[in-house]
Amino acid sequence: MGTEEDMNQRILSSVIDKTCTNLLRQILHHSVPQTEMPLVLNEVNRKEKLFKILKTFQKDILYPQNGYFNGSYSELDLPLLYILIRNASTITEHQHGWGKTPSPTDQSVAANVERLRVIRNKHVHSCSGNLSKNDFETLWNELITCIELLEKTLPDNKGQYKEEAETIQKEILQKTKLEETVREIQGRK
């Protein structure tokens, strides 16, 4: 039987894995168009730096046997997008620097990218399934604010990522309520 904490965790995980990952793909594309990424990745100093921090499977994606990334940003997950935004884009670091928690007043692209990484690593990647209603509401508000601020930096901003996040939340809430109703009916038999 799922708890409210489990449902909150599913909502947060789904929005991070789908909506926020797609949003970061657009942020990266806006900074470094996909067609330019092979050149950026193969700059000597950048390649050396990336090779020190990439995991083997990430190297295989960015530096395939043919030597050039000719794939699509759609193949990249949030951790790899973060690495590329941090190390291969024109986005400058936030006030406290990459890898550190940004100031609450910093609304820069880098600060909001960092917040998404922190939320993912602390609350989604941990898979604890222990996200109280109050914690969820705080994180949800922070997540939606990050999405809105990042969307505003895109030239074709239509608010679709915020809308997608809210749709995911509603769908999971409806599915959870339906499952509870079915369990309740089955329990009466």
Side-chain angles (χ1 to χ4, degrees):
M1 188 182 308
T3 64
E4 182 177 5
E5 289 84 5
D6 292 334
M7 179 186 64
N8 292 341
Q9 190 76 29
R10 281 196 318 271
I11 291 168
L12 206 59
S13 295
S14 296
V15 170
I16 290 284
D17 288 343
K18 184 177 180 188
T19 307
C20 294
T21 300
N22 287 333
L23 177 56
L24 289 188
R25 287 178 181 131
Q26 285 301 308
I27 295 293
L28 180 60
H29 179 76
H30 182 62
S31 176
V32 182
Q34 221 167 252
T35 56
E36 295 176 20
M37 187 54 79
L39 296 172
V40 171
L41 288 173
N42 285 296
E43 293 171 3
V44 176
N45 291 340
R46 181 163 288 132
K47 186 173 182 176
E48 288 174 6
K49 182 178 181 179
L50 285 169
F51 260 75
K52 291 177 184 175
I53 57 176
L54 292 171
K55 296 177 180 167
T56 302
F57 76 93
Q58 293 170 325
K59 289 177 190 173
D60 291 343
I61 293 169
L62 297 179
Y63 299 97
Q65 289 190 356
N66 70 7
Y68 294 97
F69 173 73
N70 58 5
S72 165
Y73 287 168
S74 66
E75 299 171 19
L76 308 179
D77 64 4
L78 194 139
L80 190 48
L81 290 163
Y82 173 81
I83 289 170
L84 291 175
I85 289 169
R86 179 177 172 169
N87 296 286
S89 79
T90 58
I91 297 168
T92 56
E93 65 184 1
H94 58 86
Q95 295 168 349
H96 293 171
W98 289 114
K100 298 181 178 110
T101 303
S103 163
T105 58
D106 188 345
Q107 295 186 354
S108 67
V109 170
N112 285 299
V113 168
E114 197 73 59
R115 285 184 188 98
L116 293 180
R117 180 192 67 82
V118 169
I119 291 170
R120 177 194 177 271
N121 289 351
K122 280 188 176 178
H123 303 286
V124 175
H125 192 59
S126 69
C127 298
S128 66
N130 234 355
L131 201 53
S132 72
K133 182 177 181 175
N134 289 338
D135 288 344
F136 173 76
E137 288 174 1
T138 300
L139 285 169
W140 181 255
N141 290 333
E142 183 177 354
L143 191 60
I144 291 298
T145 299
C146 287
I147 290 170
E148 289 175 319
L149 291 170
L150 287 170
E151 276 188 305
K152 287 179 183 177
T153 68
L154 297 172
D156 57 346
N157 171 30
K158 297 179 184 105
Q160 72 263 26
Y161 296 102
K162 178 184 177 192
E163 185 178 316
E164 181 180 302
E166 290 170 342
T167 299
I168 288 171
Q169 180 189 33
K170 288 175 189 168
E171 288 173 354
I172 291 174
L173 285 168
Q174 289 171 348
K175 182 179 178 191
T176 302
K177 288 181 184 192
L178 180 62
E179 289 169 351
E180 288 172 1
T181 302
V182 167
R183 279 194 299 273
E184 186 179 307
I185 291 169
Q186 289 174 339
R188 292 182 195 164
K189 292 181 179 183

